Amino acid sequence: MSIAATQKQGFGAVIWDYLTTVDHKKIAHLYTFGGGFFFILGGIEALIIRIQLIKPENDFVSAGFYNEVITMHGTTMIFLAAMPLLLGLMNAAVPLQIGARDVAFPFLNSLGFWLFMFGGILLNCSWFLGGAPDAGWTSYAPLSTTSPGHGVDFYVMGLQIAGAGTLIGGINFLVTIINMRAPGMTYMRMPLFTWATFVTSILILFAFPALTIGLFLLMFDRMFDSAFFDVTLGGNTIIWQHLFWIFGHPEVYILILPVFGLFSDIFSTFSKKRLFGYTAMVFATMLIAFLGFMVWAHHMFTVGLGPVANTIFSIATMAIAVPTGIKIFNWLATMWGGSITINSAMLWSLGFIPSFTVGGMTGVMVATVAADYQYHDTYFVIAHFHYVIVGGTVFGIFAGFHYWWPKMFGRILNETMGKIAFWTFFIGFHLTFFIQHFLGLMGMPRRYWVFLEDQNLDLGNFISTIGAFFMAIGVIVFFINAIYSQVKGEKAPADPWDGRTLEWSIPSPPPYYNFKQLPLTRGLDPLWVEKTEGNGKMTPAEPLGEIHMPNNSFIPFVMSLGLFIAGFGFIYQTDNNAWFIALFGGMAIALGAMIVRSVKDDLGYHISKEELEREADE
Amino acid sequence: MENTNTNKITEYQKQRNKEEMKKQLISFALMIVVTLIAFTIVATGVMEKMFAIPVLLILALIQVAFQYYYFMHMKDKGHEMPSIMIYGGAWAAILTIAGLAVITWW
Amino acid sequence: MKGWMGKLRALFLLGLVALILSGCGRENLTALVPKGYGSESSMKLIILTTVIMSAVFVIVMIVYVIVLLRFRKKKGQENFIPKQVEGHKGLEAVWTIIPIILVIIMAVPTTLISFDLAKTNDQKDSINIDITGNQYWWHFDYKGEEIQTSQDLYIPVGKKVYLNMLSSDVTHSFWVPSISGKMDVNPDNTNTMYIQAYEEGVYWGKCAELCGPSHSLMDFKVIVVSEEEYEQWIADMKSVDPKAKPENSVAQEGQELFEANNCMACHAIGSSPIATGPNLTDFGNRTKLAGYVEPTKENLVEWIVNPEKIKPGNLMTGKYPAVNKEEAEKIAEYLLQLKPSEIGPESAGK
Amino acid sequence: MMSNDHILNPETMPQSPEKATLEGKNKFLGLWFFLGGETVLFASLFGTYLSLKNSTAGGPTSEELFGLELVFIMTIMLLTSSLTSVYAMYHMKNNDFKKMQLWLGITGLLGIGFLAMEIYEFAHYITEYGFTFRSSAFGSAFYTLVGFHGGHVTFGILWLITLMIRNAKRGLNLYNAPKFNTFSLYWHFIDVVWVFVFTVVYLMGKVG
Ligand code: HEA
Ligand code: HEA
Ligand code: CUA
Ligand SMILES: [Cu+2]
């Protein structure tokens, strides 16, 4: 492929290009579209939940369906919306922030995306094939092992495939950040978002395998009659809970750390100040990740682990407040004395601080074990985690897209619509979830299909539902904004925000090779350094030379498709042995694709110096 | 695919490889010895259970250290990141095993 | 700026109004008005942490508001470049050390209370009740008394009562918010906790762990009566004659139908190891039918004819020969007159 | 740019061909990180096994089942295969392709031998004791843990065969040297896991 081939394509060619792309910027687009789609899906499920709970003993949906909806809402939002959107932002920004032309493993990058996508599709196929999983996103055994139908089987296979994709993504970012930094970009000069990606990837690397094994055990119990969670044969259901939360707690930091990183970048950019306490921020990130592995049992305080284990985990959990507090105060100190511009990206970031702080506060409250005997499995916990997830992760994702949209798509999002979206969502968010703290303490457990009359829960639930609709309006406005920007939006300059980091030193959107010449980093916030020294642009670290690029490949798509088919085989072989054909067939496709990949040399191609020079003249 | 390492293979290099190989042979021998000790302890039953289990685990750790540091070259330079990741993994692994093996009891 | 603050204030007011309107929730259900040892212990921690957390939040917000008021980009100073501050050791130490201290302040009482609530030293000398969680009902077995009941748990006021909990199917969680925090009811192993109620009354209990479609309907009550009444109740329950013929002839027919329709395979009347379905010995005294609907005759008939309508996914549906409405009315007549004791929910209601 | 099918000769041979290119360095780190993740993967299995190993549901216990002779031979085989793959890497560094292939071949054969004995062992338990994956939680945990390791061995052997056939005619170059090296790291890791399997499952199972 040469430069000419990437310009002006027909529709079919564009699709083909996306199906085979290994370019991290296009994969970022794919993650954005995929994650955005699932976010809407999860949001619609949230609306169904809230409509059902608008009044007592409502029968908008049936009891069984309600359980399917909450399960899919939780699973979809966490695995198929929040994480992919974050991976999208990472793909869009990290290679640019470290001055790299690509990620370390472009092929695996694409494979990771397709595994996620096919896993997500597989999971959602359950809606049309006899019912979705209904044991909660936590799928506690033995409810999950005894759940009739194939719902939970779809959960197992879907998450297994999507999870493999995430793991691959994690390793890819680790190696990218270690090996591909441009000259001068030392670790302690990396932007905080890159740091956060690095630490998050470590979390992914060590957390996901526990889920993988948990899902295998669940799969063996459900599909092959093993006895891990079968109490009559000596099984122990608590193993699932441990495995799930050994993964699950780090997972929530996987959701929050990247946005911590991007908020750091945003606050610093729009305050025109360098990040206050950079070193402390980096170590706080690592400390959160480290402690994050030692607190999982705080989800299991009522399981009966005994007071010793409970208090140890309780105190370890509270300790996380310390590094997180460091972050909150450093952000405030970053803005202190700055010259603050408030635009949409900044609004979402400013909205984040009080919202997340409330969520963190309730986090510490549920971490006090004897109080958690009351909070656990009630709407108080629902309120806690939506405050951190929506007020943290989702606000962060919106902020991140407003911030990087110009770089990703070459257009600037409309400010007016951005503000409308923020305010409706922000107000709706607090309406929905603040009241839930009280609902929980007033005796409303979570995962309740109906709440009863005369329990003084009516008004709170009503307000909560109204709030959810405000949020929906906010989301819709954002989506309109996104589409509008592509049609009529203002073309983005290379550096719309007077940025500080490397991604703003190249055109928006960047050429497919990112940096014509690798930039030389001379300090933290490299672009800012050049600006203050009056250069305004990066000094190249190398002479113009040919650039090596990887080839596109259709193999990742085929491999994922193979696993997708095999997934169906696994699910249905319990009904009929004929499905073993799908199982082995799918595996053969995946393995075949893998062998093709390893037998055929894929050396990539080179962009010649002449081509690059010609490009410069255009 | 540029060759960023211009040092050509030399006799000196070969010699060093050979010495390295010798060390690895020694570690192999030690690993065999360690294995033999472990099996002997169990086969002969010379040790109390309470005593045997920690000894077996220590022997396993010794053997694994040989694998990592000699066979997999973790002692060499350029292995800082791999060491961090392996120790990180080991730490997460210890927590996991402790969680599952110790506190599923009540 | 003004608009922003205004919105926040409006939001806050709205929340406050909502709170006042609904009070602290329904009495004998809400955790906010503790009426037992466990809930009171938890409440202490809830208050302590809420106070500390609110203080932290206020501090964060003060800094936040100052930042927003003072450091917005000013008109005419668009090109102003702020000083690039690297950090400040002293300040950073302050906001590291203060949170550490706060965490310690919270950790100490947390530890003490958790250990206190886990004590079992006087279990042998106290009342012990074995609790079995079932999809979607609760079975109570008074240890050493040969008494089994379901759905309504009678306990004496002021006394420590030990609950030994095991599930017969999936995980449930036993929660009576105003008396005590919750404890999971696992299928693997017995969990023990104690409850101690301060006041007589009928307290709402809820299942707090997702256990299937009717998880939200797996309610139960804890009926706290005086000690004498409790003794009386025990005595009455012990002397039940399961075969006793009801006086009323309709009820007598009902009794026969009850036996003929295989109800006895799952439901015991009187002390019995059968626990496939709720023990119906004192059904006439039930606060609610199936845990949550009024125990009126109409509802009971509807239940017997088609329980699925009342509790989706319950394990009674379809397990007995179809019963028509007339038969059901007779059975209902029989079941409703099963009142072996004068001590019922009314005795607890003050 | 150099052609990649070019067999290395002493003139162009770098010190560590497996890490001479950026791709090589990436592969090297990527594989190590993967092994870090695998550590947790196996830890989850070991943890599960440890908490279920006494849940025999009336079936045979570990003490009754396990024999040490077979496990000892398996251990020595796998250990030796670890050494032979070290030899292969030694020859790679000395740019002796033929010898490298030879030692890799031996490694593969030892792996296959190990796998055959494992299959024999499983078959033995099933036919002699009726002890299966479904017998008890202990059975499930045992076969899953040991089976996962066996699965890793199988995958390793397939990987090795593909590598050997694929490169038989091409000799050693900077493109495939990293591939051989990553394989050998993976193979060592399999041995590491086995050390814990024989210690925790068999030896500790025999002690009681
Ligand atoms: C983005 C996701 C995210 C984040 C960041 C967090 C952050 C935290 N979480 Fe949360 N949590 C979830 C997502 C998240 N959580 C989810 C999804 C669940 C439910 C899962 C389920 O059951 O379905 C859950 C459940 C959950 C529980 C289990 C509750 C239960 O089921 O009973 C607990 C208990 O300890 C807990 C604690 C915490 C704590 C202490 C933090 C801390 O990290 C918070 C730290 C932050 C602050 C404290 C604020 C800032 C600090 C300062 C301003 C400094 C001063 C502060 C002090 C001195 C205290 N969380
Ligand atoms: C990333 C995680 C995430 C996110 C973002 C959200 C977002 C929301 N969640 Fe939820 N939630 C979870 C993770 C998340 N949630 C988890 C893990 C659980 C636990 C599940 C379990 O118990 O197993 C849970 C459970 C949960 C419950 C409790 C259910 C129960 O226990 O019975 C409720 C109830 O109010 C709720 C509500 C909401 C609402 C109103 C939103 C809103 O913020 C959603 C806002 C978005 C929208 C409203 C979408 C708008 C879009 C459209 C309307 C379409 C427009 C169409 C086009 C543009 C084409 N969630
Ligand atoms: Cu039982 Cu929920
Ligand atoms: Cu957690």
Side-chain angles (χ1 to χ4, degrees), chain A residues 105 179 205-206 209 224-228 233-234 239 599 601-603, chain D residues 4 26 29 33 37 40-41 51 55 134 137 140 144 148 166 170 175:
Chain A
F105 305 110
N179 273 357
L205 180 63
F206 293 148
F224 303 104
D225 301 323
S226 61
F228 291 103
L233 287 176
I239 291 174
V599 169
D601 278 355
D602 184 357
L603 301 171
Chain D
N4 286 286
N26 287 348
L29 268 190
F33 294 174
V40 185
L41 190 102
S51 72
S55 304
R134 297 174 178 149
S140 304
T144 305
F148 249 79
R166 159 76 179 63
R170 307 190 185 198
Y175 182 68

mmCIF file of all heavy atoms in Angstrom, chain A residues 105 179 205-206 209 224-228 233-234 239 599 601-603, chain D residues 4 26 29 33 37 40-41 51 55 134 137 140 144 148 166 170 175:
data_model
loop_
_atom_site.group_PDB
_atom_site.id
_atom_site.type_symbol
_atom_site.label_atom_id
_atom_site.label_comp_id
_atom_site.label_asym_id
_atom_site.label_seq_id
_atom_site.Cartn_x
_atom_site.Cartn_y
_atom_site.Cartn_z
ATOM 1 N N PHE A 105 2.658 -3.862 18.776
ATOM 2 C CA PHE A 105 2.107 -5.008 18.051
ATOM 3 C C PHE A 105 0.837 -4.588 17.317
ATOM 4 O O PHE A 105 -0.277 -4.846 17.796
ATOM 5 C CB PHE A 105 1.774 -6.147 19.003
ATOM 6 C CG PHE A 105 2.917 -6.589 19.866
ATOM 7 C CD1 PHE A 105 2.912 -6.347 21.227
ATOM 8 C CD2 PHE A 105 3.988 -7.262 19.315
ATOM 9 C CE1 PHE A 105 3.950 -6.767 22.032
ATOM 10 C CE2 PHE A 105 5.042 -7.681 20.110
ATOM 11 C CZ PHE A 105 5.033 -7.442 21.464
ATOM 12 N N ASN A 179 9.016 0.347 24.963
ATOM 13 C CA ASN A 179 9.980 0.256 23.871
ATOM 14 C C ASN A 179 9.889 1.341 22.813
ATOM 15 O O ASN A 179 10.815 1.513 22.039
ATOM 16 C CB ASN A 179 9.828 -1.099 23.165
ATOM 17 C CG ASN A 179 10.657 -2.166 23.830
ATOM 18 O OD1 ASN A 179 11.383 -1.871 24.779
ATOM 19 N ND2 ASN A 179 10.560 -3.380 23.337
ATOM 20 N N LEU A 205 -3.140 -6.940 33.053
ATOM 21 C CA LEU A 205 -2.307 -8.130 32.926
ATOM 22 C C LEU A 205 -2.470 -9.066 34.127
ATOM 23 O O LEU A 205 -2.499 -10.277 33.986
ATOM 24 C CB LEU A 205 -0.845 -7.697 32.786
ATOM 25 C CG LEU A 205 0.185 -8.813 32.638
ATOM 26 C CD1 LEU A 205 -0.081 -9.587 31.362
ATOM 27 C CD2 LEU A 205 1.581 -8.229 32.604
ATOM 28 N N PHE A 206 -2.568 -8.508 35.313
ATOM 29 C CA PHE A 206 -2.634 -9.369 36.494
ATOM 30 C C PHE A 206 -4.047 -9.658 36.965
ATOM 31 O O PHE A 206 -4.267 -10.558 37.774
ATOM 32 C CB PHE A 206 -1.845 -8.738 37.651
ATOM 33 C CG PHE A 206 -0.371 -8.680 37.385
ATOM 34 C CD1 PHE A 206 0.406 -7.651 37.893
ATOM 35 C CD2 PHE A 206 0.241 -9.653 36.618
ATOM 36 C CE1 PHE A 206 1.766 -7.590 37.642
ATOM 37 C CE2 PHE A 206 1.602 -9.592 36.354
ATOM 38 C CZ PHE A 206 2.360 -8.561 36.865
ATOM 39 N N PRO A 209 -6.445 -12.622 34.181
ATOM 40 C CA PRO A 209 -6.313 -14.087 34.261
ATOM 41 C C PRO A 209 -7.203 -14.715 35.338
ATOM 42 O O PRO A 209 -7.712 -15.813 35.139
ATOM 43 C CB PRO A 209 -4.833 -14.287 34.577
ATOM 44 C CG PRO A 209 -4.167 -13.113 33.983
ATOM 45 C CD PRO A 209 -5.117 -11.966 34.179
ATOM 46 N N PHE A 224 -19.763 -29.010 31.136
ATOM 47 C CA PHE A 224 -19.137 -30.330 31.157
ATOM 48 C C PHE A 224 -19.289 -31.024 32.507
ATOM 49 O O PHE A 224 -18.531 -31.929 32.844
ATOM 50 C CB PHE A 224 -17.663 -30.217 30.755
ATOM 51 C CG PHE A 224 -17.477 -29.579 29.411
ATOM 52 C CD1 PHE A 224 -17.042 -28.269 29.293
ATOM 53 C CD2 PHE A 224 -17.785 -30.288 28.255
ATOM 54 C CE1 PHE A 224 -16.894 -27.675 28.046
ATOM 55 C CE2 PHE A 224 -17.641 -29.703 27.006
ATOM 56 C CZ PHE A 224 -17.196 -28.392 26.892
ATOM 57 N N ASP A 225 -20.241 -30.575 33.299
ATOM 58 C CA ASP A 225 -20.620 -31.279 34.532
ATOM 59 C C ASP A 225 -19.502 -31.443 35.549
ATOM 60 O O ASP A 225 -19.490 -32.419 36.287
ATOM 61 C CB ASP A 225 -21.180 -32.680 34.213
ATOM 62 C CG ASP A 225 -22.380 -32.584 33.313
ATOM 63 O OD1 ASP A 225 -23.160 -31.625 33.507
ATOM 64 O OD2 ASP A 225 -22.538 -33.444 32.436
ATOM 65 N N SER A 226 -18.565 -30.542 35.615
ATOM 66 C CA SER A 226 -17.587 -30.641 36.685
ATOM 67 C C SER A 226 -18.248 -30.157 37.982
ATOM 68 O O SER A 226 -19.426 -29.822 37.986
ATOM 69 C CB SER A 226 -16.356 -29.798 36.357
ATOM 70 O OG SER A 226 -16.720 -28.447 36.235
ATOM 71 N N ALA A 227 -17.505 -30.142 39.061
ATOM 72 C CA ALA A 227 -18.159 -29.964 40.361
ATOM 73 C C ALA A 227 -17.548 -28.850 41.198
ATOM 74 O O ALA A 227 -17.609 -28.889 42.416
ATOM 75 C CB ALA A 227 -18.108 -31.279 41.133
ATOM 76 N N PHE A 228 -16.983 -27.850 40.536
ATOM 77 C CA PHE A 228 -16.329 -26.789 41.311
ATOM 78 C C PHE A 228 -17.290 -26.093 42.273
ATOM 79 O O PHE A 228 -16.934 -25.770 43.393
ATOM 80 C CB PHE A 228 -15.717 -25.749 40.375
ATOM 81 C CG PHE A 228 -14.563 -26.261 39.603
ATOM 82 C CD1 PHE A 228 -14.706 -26.606 38.267
ATOM 83 C CD2 PHE A 228 -13.332 -26.427 40.209
ATOM 84 C CE1 PHE A 228 -13.642 -27.091 37.548
ATOM 85 C CE2 PHE A 228 -12.254 -26.916 39.504
ATOM 86 C CZ PHE A 228 -12.411 -27.259 38.168
ATOM 87 N N LEU A 233 -21.064 -32.321 45.685
ATOM 88 C CA LEU A 233 -19.858 -33.083 45.357
ATOM 89 C C LEU A 233 -18.610 -32.441 45.971
ATOM 90 O O LEU A 233 -17.494 -32.670 45.523
ATOM 91 C CB LEU A 233 -19.701 -33.195 43.835
ATOM 92 C CG LEU A 233 -20.680 -34.150 43.158
ATOM 93 C CD1 LEU A 233 -20.522 -34.114 41.653
ATOM 94 C CD2 LEU A 233 -20.492 -35.581 43.663
ATOM 95 N N GLY A 234 -18.823 -31.618 46.976
ATOM 96 C CA GLY A 234 -17.677 -31.041 47.664
ATOM 97 C C GLY A 234 -17.246 -29.688 47.125
ATOM 98 O O GLY A 234 -16.252 -29.133 47.568
ATOM 99 N N ILE A 239 -15.339 -19.876 46.066
ATOM 100 C CA ILE A 239 -14.204 -19.751 45.146
ATOM 101 C C ILE A 239 -14.545 -18.806 44.002
ATOM 102 O O ILE A 239 -13.741 -17.965 43.621
ATOM 103 C CB ILE A 239 -13.823 -21.142 44.594
ATOM 104 C CG1 ILE A 239 -13.223 -21.982 45.710
ATOM 105 C CG2 ILE A 239 -12.855 -21.015 43.435
ATOM 106 C CD1 ILE A 239 -12.944 -23.396 45.294
ATOM 107 N N VAL A 599 3.124 -18.645 9.437
ATOM 108 C CA VAL A 599 3.891 -19.227 8.336
ATOM 109 C C VAL A 599 4.231 -18.184 7.280
ATOM 110 O O VAL A 599 5.283 -18.214 6.670
ATOM 111 C CB VAL A 599 3.100 -20.407 7.717
ATOM 112 C CG1 VAL A 599 3.734 -20.846 6.414
ATOM 113 C CG2 VAL A 599 3.061 -21.571 8.695
ATOM 114 N N ASP A 601 5.464 -14.726 6.126
ATOM 115 C CA ASP A 601 6.192 -13.561 6.619
ATOM 116 C C ASP A 601 5.387 -12.309 6.329
ATOM 117 O O ASP A 601 4.848 -12.144 5.255
ATOM 118 C CB ASP A 601 7.539 -13.446 5.912
ATOM 119 C CG ASP A 601 8.559 -14.351 6.561
ATOM 120 O OD1 ASP A 601 8.202 -14.955 7.594
ATOM 121 O OD2 ASP A 601 9.663 -14.467 6.034
ATOM 122 N N ASP A 602 5.313 -11.447 7.347
ATOM 123 C CA ASP A 602 4.648 -10.176 7.107
ATOM 124 C C ASP A 602 5.631 -9.090 7.503
ATOM 125 O O ASP A 602 5.785 -8.771 8.663
ATOM 126 C CB ASP A 602 3.367 -10.108 7.943
ATOM 127 C CG ASP A 602 2.597 -8.843 7.640
ATOM 128 O OD1 ASP A 602 3.093 -8.029 6.848
ATOM 129 O OD2 ASP A 602 1.502 -8.682 8.200
ATOM 130 N N LEU A 603 6.304 -8.582 6.505
ATOM 131 C CA LEU A 603 7.397 -7.678 6.830
ATOM 132 C C LEU A 603 7.018 -6.222 6.762
ATOM 133 O O LEU A 603 7.809 -5.351 7.062
ATOM 134 C CB LEU A 603 8.563 -7.941 5.880
ATOM 135 C CG LEU A 603 9.078 -9.379 5.959
ATOM 136 C CD1 LEU A 603 10.064 -9.647 4.849
ATOM 137 C CD2 LEU A 603 9.699 -9.639 7.313
ATOM 138 N N ASN D 4 15.096 -10.233 4.579
ATOM 139 C CA ASN D 4 14.892 -11.007 5.786
ATOM 140 C C ASN D 4 15.136 -12.490 5.626
ATOM 141 O O ASN D 4 15.335 -13.197 6.596
ATOM 142 C CB ASN D 4 13.491 -10.771 6.301
ATOM 143 C CG ASN D 4 13.415 -9.409 6.904
ATOM 144 O OD1 ASN D 4 13.920 -9.183 7.974
ATOM 145 N ND2 ASN D 4 12.853 -8.480 6.145
ATOM 146 N N ASN D 26 10.408 -6.077 21.110
ATOM 147 C CA ASN D 26 8.990 -6.062 21.482
ATOM 148 C C ASN D 26 8.499 -7.461 21.818
ATOM 149 O O ASN D 26 7.812 -7.675 22.812
ATOM 150 C CB ASN D 26 8.153 -5.497 20.331
ATOM 151 C CG ASN D 26 8.338 -3.999 20.184
ATOM 152 O OD1 ASN D 26 8.898 -3.351 21.062
ATOM 153 N ND2 ASN D 26 7.880 -3.458 19.084
ATOM 154 N N LEU D 29 9.816 -8.627 25.238
ATOM 155 C CA LEU D 29 9.097 -8.068 26.385
ATOM 156 C C LEU D 29 7.663 -8.577 26.442
ATOM 157 O O LEU D 29 7.158 -8.958 27.497
ATOM 158 C CB LEU D 29 9.032 -6.542 26.273
ATOM 159 C CG LEU D 29 10.133 -5.743 26.936
ATOM 160 C CD1 LEU D 29 9.752 -4.274 26.930
ATOM 161 C CD2 LEU D 29 10.367 -6.206 28.356
ATOM 162 N N PHE D 33 5.828 -10.416 29.596
ATOM 163 C CA PHE D 33 4.644 -9.891 30.276
ATOM 164 C C PHE D 33 3.517 -10.909 30.250
ATOM 165 O O PHE D 33 2.797 -11.091 31.223
ATOM 166 C CB PHE D 33 4.187 -8.582 29.623
ATOM 167 C CG PHE D 33 5.183 -7.479 29.797
ATOM 168 C CD1 PHE D 33 5.000 -6.256 29.174
ATOM 169 C CD2 PHE D 33 6.310 -7.651 30.586
ATOM 170 C CE1 PHE D 33 5.920 -5.234 29.334
ATOM 171 C CE2 PHE D 33 7.240 -6.641 30.751
ATOM 172 C CZ PHE D 33 7.037 -5.431 30.116
ATOM 173 N N GLY D 37 1.310 -12.550 33.358
ATOM 174 C CA GLY D 37 -0.131 -12.801 33.445
ATOM 175 C C GLY D 37 -0.423 -14.266 33.687
ATOM 176 O O GLY D 37 -1.288 -14.631 34.493
ATOM 177 N N VAL D 40 -0.521 -15.445 37.237
ATOM 178 C CA VAL D 40 -1.772 -15.287 37.966
ATOM 179 C C VAL D 40 -2.788 -16.330 37.513
ATOM 180 O O VAL D 40 -3.560 -16.864 38.307
ATOM 181 C CB VAL D 40 -2.341 -13.871 37.782
ATOM 182 C CG1 VAL D 40 -3.577 -13.674 38.627
ATOM 183 C CG2 VAL D 40 -1.292 -12.841 38.126
ATOM 184 N N LEU D 41 -2.751 -16.628 36.226
ATOM 185 C CA LEU D 41 -3.660 -17.648 35.707
ATOM 186 C C LEU D 41 -3.463 -18.967 36.454
ATOM 187 O O LEU D 41 -4.401 -19.558 36.984
ATOM 188 C CB LEU D 41 -3.382 -17.847 34.214
ATOM 189 C CG LEU D 41 -4.381 -18.702 33.464
ATOM 190 C CD1 LEU D 41 -5.300 -17.798 32.668
ATOM 191 C CD2 LEU D 41 -3.696 -19.663 32.520
ATOM 192 N N SER D 51 -7.951 -25.296 47.684
ATOM 193 C CA SER D 51 -9.128 -25.224 48.544
ATOM 194 C C SER D 51 -10.086 -26.378 48.300
ATOM 195 O O SER D 51 -10.996 -26.595 49.080
ATOM 196 C CB SER D 51 -9.815 -23.876 48.414
ATOM 197 O OG SER D 51 -10.458 -23.794 47.181
ATOM 198 N N SER D 55 -11.923 -32.140 49.102
ATOM 199 C CA SER D 55 -13.347 -32.333 48.804
ATOM 200 C C SER D 55 -13.534 -33.513 47.869
ATOM 201 O O SER D 55 -13.886 -33.351 46.711
ATOM 202 C CB SER D 55 -13.919 -31.076 48.159
ATOM 203 O OG SER D 55 -13.710 -29.968 48.984
ATOM 204 N N ARG D 134 -15.609 -35.523 36.812
ATOM 205 C CA ARG D 134 -16.931 -35.269 37.368
ATOM 206 C C ARG D 134 -17.144 -35.924 38.718
ATOM 207 O O ARG D 134 -18.196 -35.760 39.328
ATOM 208 C CB ARG D 134 -18.004 -35.780 36.398
ATOM 209 C CG ARG D 134 -17.954 -35.037 35.094
ATOM 210 C CD ARG D 134 -18.903 -35.628 34.073
ATOM 211 N NE ARG D 134 -18.818 -34.813 32.852
ATOM 212 C CZ ARG D 134 -18.993 -35.280 31.630
ATOM 213 N NH1 ARG D 134 -19.295 -36.541 31.461
ATOM 214 N NH2 ARG D 134 -18.876 -34.486 30.601
ATOM 215 N N ALA D 137 -15.388 -32.477 43.523
ATOM 216 C CA ALA D 137 -14.750 -31.182 43.310
ATOM 217 C C ALA D 137 -13.239 -31.369 43.222
ATOM 218 O O ALA D 137 -12.561 -30.704 42.439
ATOM 219 C CB ALA D 137 -15.109 -30.226 44.431
ATOM 220 N N SER D 140 -12.472 -32.474 39.687
ATOM 221 C CA SER D 140 -12.538 -31.355 38.744
ATOM 222 C C SER D 140 -11.297 -30.491 38.862
ATOM 223 O O SER D 140 -10.684 -30.099 37.863
ATOM 224 C CB SER D 140 -13.769 -30.490 39.033
ATOM 225 O OG SER D 140 -14.936 -31.265 39.004
ATOM 226 N N THR D 144 -8.394 -30.168 36.007
ATOM 227 C CA THR D 144 -8.312 -28.841 35.400
ATOM 228 C C THR D 144 -6.912 -28.259 35.557
ATOM 229 O O THR D 144 -6.323 -27.761 34.596
ATOM 230 C CB THR D 144 -9.351 -27.900 36.025
ATOM 231 O OG1 THR D 144 -10.634 -28.503 35.895
ATOM 232 C CG2 THR D 144 -9.360 -26.560 35.323
ATOM 233 N N PHE D 148 -4.620 -28.060 32.412
ATOM 234 C CA PHE D 148 -4.217 -26.759 31.875
ATOM 235 C C PHE D 148 -2.720 -26.749 31.579
ATOM 236 O O PHE D 148 -2.284 -26.200 30.572
ATOM 237 C CB PHE D 148 -4.538 -25.643 32.870
ATOM 238 C CG PHE D 148 -5.644 -24.745 32.414
ATOM 239 C CD1 PHE D 148 -6.961 -25.148 32.530
ATOM 240 C CD2 PHE D 148 -5.358 -23.512 31.865
ATOM 241 C CE1 PHE D 148 -7.984 -24.332 32.101
ATOM 242 C CE2 PHE D 148 -6.384 -22.690 31.425
ATOM 243 C CZ PHE D 148 -7.696 -23.098 31.550
ATOM 244 N N ARG D 166 8.556 -24.411 9.434
ATOM 245 C CA ARG D 166 8.510 -23.145 8.730
ATOM 246 C C ARG D 166 9.904 -22.613 8.395
ATOM 247 O O ARG D 166 10.128 -22.044 7.337
ATOM 248 C CB ARG D 166 7.743 -22.177 9.630
ATOM 249 C CG ARG D 166 7.950 -20.712 9.413
ATOM 250 C CD ARG D 166 7.213 -20.259 8.185
ATOM 251 N NE ARG D 166 7.406 -18.835 7.988
ATOM 252 C CZ ARG D 166 8.556 -18.251 7.759
ATOM 253 N NH1 ARG D 166 9.648 -18.985 7.699
ATOM 254 N NH2 ARG D 166 8.635 -16.955 7.576
ATOM 255 N N ARG D 170 15.033 -21.984 5.735
ATOM 256 C CA ARG D 170 15.451 -20.580 5.680
ATOM 257 C C ARG D 170 16.657 -20.257 6.537
ATOM 258 O O ARG D 170 17.290 -19.230 6.337
ATOM 259 C CB ARG D 170 14.326 -19.686 6.142
ATOM 260 C CG ARG D 170 13.056 -19.955 5.402
ATOM 261 C CD ARG D 170 12.082 -18.893 5.718
ATOM 262 N NE ARG D 170 10.814 -19.233 5.091
ATOM 263 C CZ ARG D 170 9.857 -18.367 4.881
ATOM 264 N NH1 ARG D 170 10.014 -17.117 5.259
ATOM 265 N NH2 ARG D 170 8.741 -18.732 4.321
ATOM 266 N N TYR D 175 14.712 -12.038 11.588
ATOM 267 C CA TYR D 175 13.258 -12.053 11.658
ATOM 268 C C TYR D 175 12.761 -13.221 12.496
ATOM 269 O O TYR D 175 11.794 -13.094 13.240
ATOM 270 C CB TYR D 175 12.687 -12.130 10.244
ATOM 271 C CG TYR D 175 11.178 -12.093 10.187
ATOM 272 C CD1 TYR D 175 10.489 -10.930 10.534
ATOM 273 C CD2 TYR D 175 10.449 -13.215 9.773
ATOM 274 C CE1 TYR D 175 9.108 -10.891 10.474
ATOM 275 C CE2 TYR D 175 9.072 -13.171 9.710
ATOM 276 C CZ TYR D 175 8.405 -12.011 10.057
ATOM 277 O OH TYR D 175 7.041 -11.960 9.995
#
